[in-house]
Structure formats: C-alpha cells, structure tokens
Amino acid sequence: MISNSVAAPLDPAVTLPTSPAPAPVANESPAGQAGAGRDNTLVRIETRRLTALFGRNVAVREVSLFFPTNTVTAIIGPSGCGKSTFLRCLNRMHELSEGGWATGSVLLDGEDIYSGTLDPVSVRRRIGMVFQRPTPFPTMSIYDNVAAGLRVAGTRRADLDQIVERALRQAALWDEVKDRLRSSAIALSGGQQQRLCIARAVAPAPEVLLLDEPTASLDPAGTQRIEELCHELKRQYTIVIVTHNMQQAARVSDYTAFFYLGELIEIDRTTQLFTKPAKEQTEAYLTGRFG
C-alpha cells in the first residue's frame, strides 16, 4: 500500500522529514543531460519524495529522481542500502512484502501508479521486472513461460506465436531455442534462463524494465550477454538496473545513482560520477573506503 501521509505514531528513530526537500540530483538533471540524436528529454518514470517502509522501519527515505526514456540508470551502493527495495517500489512489488508500505509518489508518464486509478497488475505489465536469480516457471515449456502473462491478459491465441518469437528475439534467445520451444525451461542454462525471464518481462511490451542484480548468479559469459542486452533493449525501453558491481554499472549505464543508508546521495552521468563525483560519500564508496 502507499499513503500520502505518514502513519503515526512512528518510532522517533525513524520519524520521516516533514519539510519539503529539493530533488537530490547532483549537478545537472538526467533529462538536461540528454545525448544528441535521441530525445531523452521525456521523463518516463519519476519518484517524488518516495519513502519505503517495513512496518515502522524506513528502508528508503525521501528519494526524488527521474529516469528519461531510452536510457539505462544503474543504482549502486553497499548491501542493505535500499537499492532493491527502491526498485520494487517502482512497479508496486514492495507492497507485496510483509509489512511493506510507502509514502510519496511514483509517476509513470506523469500518472501516479499508487493513485488508486491504476490496477497493480496492469502497472506490472507496463513496468516489467527481472530478479536476481532466474525464475522460469518450472512446470512450463519455454514457449509457455513467455506466453504466461499474455494469456492472463487475454491476448488472442492467434497472436501468441508472433509475440513469443518477438520477445525471444529481443532477449537474444530465439536462435538458441526456436527448435525446442515445447521443451522444459529448466533444461536451459542459467544464462539462458535469465534471458528467458527477460523475454517473459518484455513480452507484454512494457515501457520500463527493472533489473535487480540480473547477473549475480551467472558466469562471465552469461553476464556479458545480459550486459550486451542492456545496450540493445534501451532502444525500446527505459531500464533501471540494481548492481553491486561498479564495473558493470560503468559498462552498461548512461546514469548512475548512489544510495547509502536508504538515501539517494548522488546521481549523475555515469562517466561524470565515476571520474569526478560531487559528494565525498560517493568518492569514498567508489574508492573502496567502505561498502
């Protein structure tokens, strides 16, 4: 659930700020840093003073930032700093966690996904998510894994073959599985299973794709293929990726946001943040002084 006001009483140790705060975006905002030749000025998804809680415990505090269309934004920071919780708030997965609730707003194309006018299931079709470990449906074939969400949404049977093929091609998996679509998804390698999960996420043609440490359980070859996919998929989607691997963030992202103790410390173009961070905490993390 999400609330526009803070529930009372909260433990004094986790009392939320009540005074308005400017969006904690370092230097120039991402939209203002749009690259030439592509219209990145459109804000696809935005958070306004987003705070995520588990019961009375604050996991993410007052985060305001936005993600331009057709870009990759990496979220980095030490373990337990709220990265994955923040990501799950972007498509209303956080409210499915025990005790999970939030305050503030998440705007998708200017519309608050927590306003009550949008169905959570439809939100998750528009904002797809891929988790840390591959999660294919074990009792389903490769084909049925990709088609599962489409069938729930009422996609016509006549359209399924075309959409499944498109999704598998987008996930760079079609050539490897086209002759065994009816085989079990569990027979695929770990990297192939993760790409299958990406195909399942993009099959409904979402606007945003969330990746929560998608290569954490993969070998170097599988990791490289997923990273290559990020570059290819951003032509069609806005991508937000959580990663513990700073080298990966540097390779795949246009922008990088640094989180610490549940707060957004800094966000900037990846090249700028990694070479000349504006905040001392960011520099300390990047140089290995903590984390």
Side-chain angles (χ1 to χ4, degrees), residues 256-277:
T256 298
F258 171 53
F259 277 56
Y260 183 59
L261 296 179
E263 297 185 0
L264 172 64
I265 304 302
E266 181 175 358
I267 181 170
D268 210 331
R269 278 194 178 276
T270 295
T271 52
Q272 176 72 13
L273 186 136
F274 275 88
T275 58
K276 194 176 180 180

Side-chain angles (χ1 to χ4, degrees), residues 189-231:
S189 69
Q192 288 175 324
Q193 288 184 22
Q194 193 65 304
R195 280 184 281 149
L196 178 64
C197 293
I198 292 175
R200 189 173 65 200
V202 302
E207 297 161 59
V208 179
L209 187 61
L210 310 177
L211 306 176
D212 190 3
E213 298 191 58
T215 63
S217 61
L218 302 184
D219 60 19
T223 295
Q224 180 180 359
R225 195 67 196 94
I226 297 296
E227 291 181 0
E228 291 170 351
L229 268 179
C230 286
H231 291 290

Side-chain angles (χ1 to χ4, degrees), residues 19-43:
S19 59
V25 178
N27 302 330
E28 190 180 5
S29 65
Q33 301 168 339
R38 188 174 68 230
D39 180 15
N40 284 341
T41 60
L42 174 64
V43 175

Side-chain angles (χ1 to χ4, degrees), residues 129 131 135-137 144-149 167 195-204:
M129 190 166 188
F131 299 95
T135 55
F137 301 133
D144 288 337
N145 261 270
V146 180
R195 280 184 281 149
L196 178 64
C197 293
I198 292 175
R200 189 173 65 200
V202 302

